[in-house]
Amino acid sequence: MTAAEAETTAPTAEWVRIEDLYENPYPIYRRLREESPVAWVPAVGRYLVTSFEACHRIEQDAETFSANEEGSLMKRSMGHSMLRKDDPDHQTDRAAYGPVLRPKAIKETWTAAFEKNAEKYLEEFRAKGPGADLHLGFAAPFAAENLREIMGFRNAAQEDLQRWSQTMIDGTGNYADDPEVWAKAAASSAEVDAAIDELVPVLKAEPDASLLSAVVNAGMPIEAIRANMKMTIGGGLNEPRDVLGTAVWALLSHSDQLAQVLAEPALWATAFEEAVRWVAPIGMYPRQTTREVEIGGATLPAGARLGVVLGAANRDPEQFENPEAFDINREKKPHLAFGGGAHFCAGTWVARTSVAQVALPKLFAGLPGLRLTDRPAREGGWVFRGMLELPVAWN
């Protein structure tokens, strides 16, 4: 803890361990919320913020809680992307994303690609036979190929995007400072740079509908292009992949709710929103205070490093009744799984469309009698959380 961080009224949670957060963070989040919604956690070198109210306040006050954190793991892993910038620099980068990711473009350009990819990877998954892992066999390649096409990486395969994404987000969450994790992240970062550099002159000469074409032809500097593309590879693959797996797992574990959804297809969107609330794929992101501030009952100094724990906020009983349960019939209230304020996730509509509108209905229609197997499903992570294994069977 630095001298500045010592000048605080927040308690210290020495008992929190990274390995326990990875395995199952929710009991830890409950205890932190009950004892103090803002607490210094030495294991991760920052104050964890675990209440809905405090996390929401941070998202709405960028002047006090800056995204441009010093010593950022994301900057080290991926470069200085818009996610670690405040306005106006953040908005300058983000403006180029709008035309490609807004709902109209997704409907007119990308939904057909999502449907094509869902059919392709469902056919390949079906051929594996009952007992196959839905996470690795369908959710991961489906999300990766969608992202590859949207981003415009014609010189890479979906397997490359899977590798790049996992190794770079591992770097972003490398609070244990594992040198092997950094080495893999650096190798992927260099591969992405090379792929981008190869495509820049091509897209300048012949623009297309892709995200990479948009940022290149908007005049974004090359270092900003590289950083923002890496950030997009991370969250843009991770979020739809993981909420898809979580939604399938949750519905297969709650047969009554699955029956409701199958009888009323409009509820696929409701199931998606409940799944992303229940297990937020991006579970924590950093902020840094720009001044002394009181939040969550604690006084923090200027320069304090925070972890805004969306995975905890989305299970706060002050916001959600019986928050630990997956329940598509709960009272509709806003969640924070896609962040908020100026940094609200630019890929939200990609995830909602590709998962709720396309993948979930096609999976349950194409795999009749879809069910869990005797081999248990596994999930993991806390900075990023999702399924690790999801073995399923069908008729």
Side-chain angles (χ1 to χ4, degrees), residues 32 51 65 94 118 132 170 206 222 291 317 334 383:
L32 286 171
S51 72
F65 304 99
R94 183 166 176 141
D170 285 347
E206 297 181 15
I222 187 62
R291 62 177 177 85
V383 178

Side-chain angles (χ1 to χ4, degrees), residues 355-367:
V355 176
Q357 184 176 320
V358 176
L360 287 172
K362 285 186 179 294
L363 271 175
F364 281 89
L367 299 172

Side-chain angles (χ1 to χ4, degrees), residues 123-294:
E123 182 178 350
E124 291 183 6
F125 182 71
R126 192 185 292 115
K128 297 177 186 293
D133 181 357
L134 187 72
H135 171 68
L136 292 178
F138 178 80
F142 171 70
E145 180 60 17
N146 289 342
L147 185 64
R148 188 193 69 80
E149 294 190 31
I150 291 171
M151 295 189 73
F153 278 108
R154 63 182 77 172
N155 55 351
Q158 61 89 2
E159 292 87 352
D160 295 317
L161 269 78
Q162 287 198 56
R163 184 180 70 259
W164 294 343
S165 177
Q166 192 59 56
T167 51
M168 289 190 296
I169 67 172
D170 285 347
T172 297
N174 191 20
Y175 289 91
D177 201 25
D178 185 332
E180 184 176 348
V181 170
W182 287 128
K184 291 180 179 179
S188 288
S189 179
E191 287 184 37
V192 176
D193 287 347
I196 290 171
D197 291 350
E198 182 181 13
L199 288 171
V200 165
V202 176
L203 293 170
K204 283 183 176 179
E206 297 181 15
D208 59 24
S210 72
L211 188 59
L212 187 54
S213 178
V215 298
V216 166
N217 290 292
M220 186 180 288
I222 187 62
E223 287 305 318
I225 291 173
R226 290 170 173 171
N228 285 308
M229 291 299 99
K230 291 169 192 174
M231 173 271 294
T232 305
I233 291 168
L237 197 160
N238 162 282
E239 198 147 14
R241 178 197 67 192
D242 289 347
V243 71
L244 173 55
T246 294
V248 171
W249 181 45
L251 289 169
L252 294 182
S253 303
H254 298 80
S255 57
D256 54 338
Q257 295 183 54
L258 175 59
Q260 277 186 266
V261 176
L262 292 176
E264 189 178 344
L267 290 175
W268 286 119
T270 304
F272 171 92
E273 296 296 336
E274 175 63 356
V276 82
R277 177 208 67 84
W278 189 50
V279 180
I282 298 177
M284 189 278 285
Y285 62 77
R287 289 291 184 265
Q288 187 167 1
T289 58
T290 60
R291 62 177 177 85
E292 182 177 279
V293 62
E294 190 281 328

